[in-house]
Amino acid sequence: MSKDMAIICSETRSIILLITYILLTLAIIPIQLVAVLLRIRLAKILPKFYHRMCASILGINVVVRGNQVRERPVLFAANHISYLDITALGSVVNGCFIAKAEIACWPLFGILAKLQRTIFIVRKRFAVIKHNADIADRLKSGDNLILFPEGTSGDGIRVMPFKSSFFAVAEHWSCGQPLVIQPVSIAYTMLNEVPLGRSLRPLFAWYGDMDFLPHLWTVAAMGKLTVVIDFHQPLTATEAGSRKALASKVQEEVAVGLARANAGR
């Protein structure tokens, strides 16, 4: 196959996948809207089905390692690499995301985030602490929450420091048993069944001032992507001793899992 033909095939793939993705999304939105308004159970389980369909459409193969905590509520704390994390994690976890407030205003994706009952927060230290009441209320209602404690996305090679303010809700939890925190590593490991090297792994990361649509177009053109999600041993603030110690321990677990997956182990 010539280089030009490969480019044409890639562009064709992007067009087909993105059109299919948009059609699926437009079909799901009114169903989820009604479910959220009526507060029926479908509102909590439809997002997982939607993310699984999106992963299939976009060619994302999600490989799960470890044991996901099943009792509720759980605060899942994961490293953050790309907007693709949402699809990968959402396809295996029944839960709501905690996201930066700006996402609420994004075209289409802001609507999707609201329909998944995302908690929007201002990612500044003192503002995050103010949001802990909202986070605690959602956990008390039985919702699992998915948190990216780095406060931003990275390059997929290393884990940035976890902000301890995100774990204040665990330190002040007063509902009988301590709040369970489960560290989760997410790694982008293979493209078309070929291991991603250090130089190629950042191609799937979305961080800094990258433009969203060109990045999504490129990702859709590349082919089948393997994403490893590793669920680690759960922790509590009581076991850690403080929220700062908890943040440090969770970060360490996630970093070890990311390095292991990137090394192909």
Side-chain angles (χ1 to χ4, degrees):
M1 180 181 292
S2 69
K3 181 179 179 181
D4 289 341
M5 182 61 72
I7 293 174
I8 290 173
C9 288
S10 295
E11 290 179 346
T12 301
R13 173 185 171 85
S14 289
I15 292 171
I16 293 173
L17 295 190
L18 295 181
I19 288 177
T20 305
Y21 166 77
I22 291 171
L23 291 175
L24 170 67
T25 301
L26 293 177
I28 289 290
I29 283 176
I31 301 174
Q32 179 68 1
L33 177 60
V34 171
V36 170
L37 291 175
L38 295 179
R39 298 183 179 182
I40 57 177
R41 186 169 178 270
L42 182 64
K44 294 186 177 183
I45 62 177
L46 186 58
K48 185 176 180 181
F49 167 80
Y50 168 72
H51 288 302
R52 283 186 174 180
M53 293 296 294
C54 288
S56 177
I57 290 170
L58 296 175
I60 300 174
N61 176 38
V62 179
V63 177
V64 177
R65 296 176 179 172
N67 297 312
Q68 181 183 159
V69 175
R70 295 298 178 182
E71 61 261 23
R72 291 172 176 261
V74 179
L75 181 63
F76 296 96
N79 59 305
H80 194 18
I81 300 172
S82 170
Y83 50 85
L84 298 173
D85 300 348
I86 307 299
T87 296
L89 286 168
S91 70
V92 297
V93 176
N94 271 324
C96 305
F97 289 89
I98 299 173
K100 59 184 181 181
E102 300 95 293
I103 292 178
C105 300
W106 287 7
L108 182 60
F109 294 98
I111 296 174
L112 293 175
K114 291 174 183 176
L115 289 177
Q116 195 167 349
R117 301 165 56 246
T118 296
I119 297 176
F120 298 105
I121 62 175
V122 178
R123 292 195 169 186
K124 294 181 180 179
R125 182 173 178 272
F126 294 107
V128 169
I129 294 174
K130 292 180 181 179
H131 287 294
N132 274 310
D134 296 331
I135 294 172
D137 287 343
R138 290 290 291 276
L139 289 166
K140 290 174 184 176
S141 72
D143 284 337
N144 290 329
L145 297 181
I146 304 167
L147 167 69
F148 299 118
E150 292 165 295
T152 186
S153 52
D155 59 8
I157 298 173
R158 62 190 63 83
V159 175
M160 292 178 287
F162 282 8
K163 301 182 187 302
S164 64
S165 56
F166 285 114
F167 295 93
V169 64
E171 187 176 46
H172 301 293
W173 188 254
S174 59
C175 297
Q177 297 297 320
L179 177 64
V180 174
I181 314 292
Q182 182 158 37
V184 183
S185 300
I186 181 166
Y188 295 72
T189 60
M190 302 182 76
L191 177 62
N192 297 321
E193 300 185 359
V194 177
L196 283 172
R198 185 182 180 90
S199 61
L200 293 179
R201 194 167 289 113
L203 289 176
F204 296 94
W206 188 62
Y207 58 100
D209 58 355
M210 293 181 179
D211 291 328
F212 173 71
L213 290 178
H215 189 274
L216 177 59
W217 177 269
T218 300
V219 167
M222 286 185 175
K224 186 177 180 180
L225 174 65
T226 298
V227 181
V228 173
I229 295 179
D230 195 347
F231 292 95
H232 304 291
Q233 188 69 24
L235 301 167
T236 67
T238 301
E239 294 169 339
S242 69
R243 65 181 169 90
K244 289 187 177 181
L246 176 62
S248 179
K249 287 180 179 294
V250 172
Q251 178 192 333
E252 182 179 351
E253 287 288 334
V254 172
V256 169
L258 175 65
R260 182 170 56 236
N262 283 345
R265 300 195 300 270

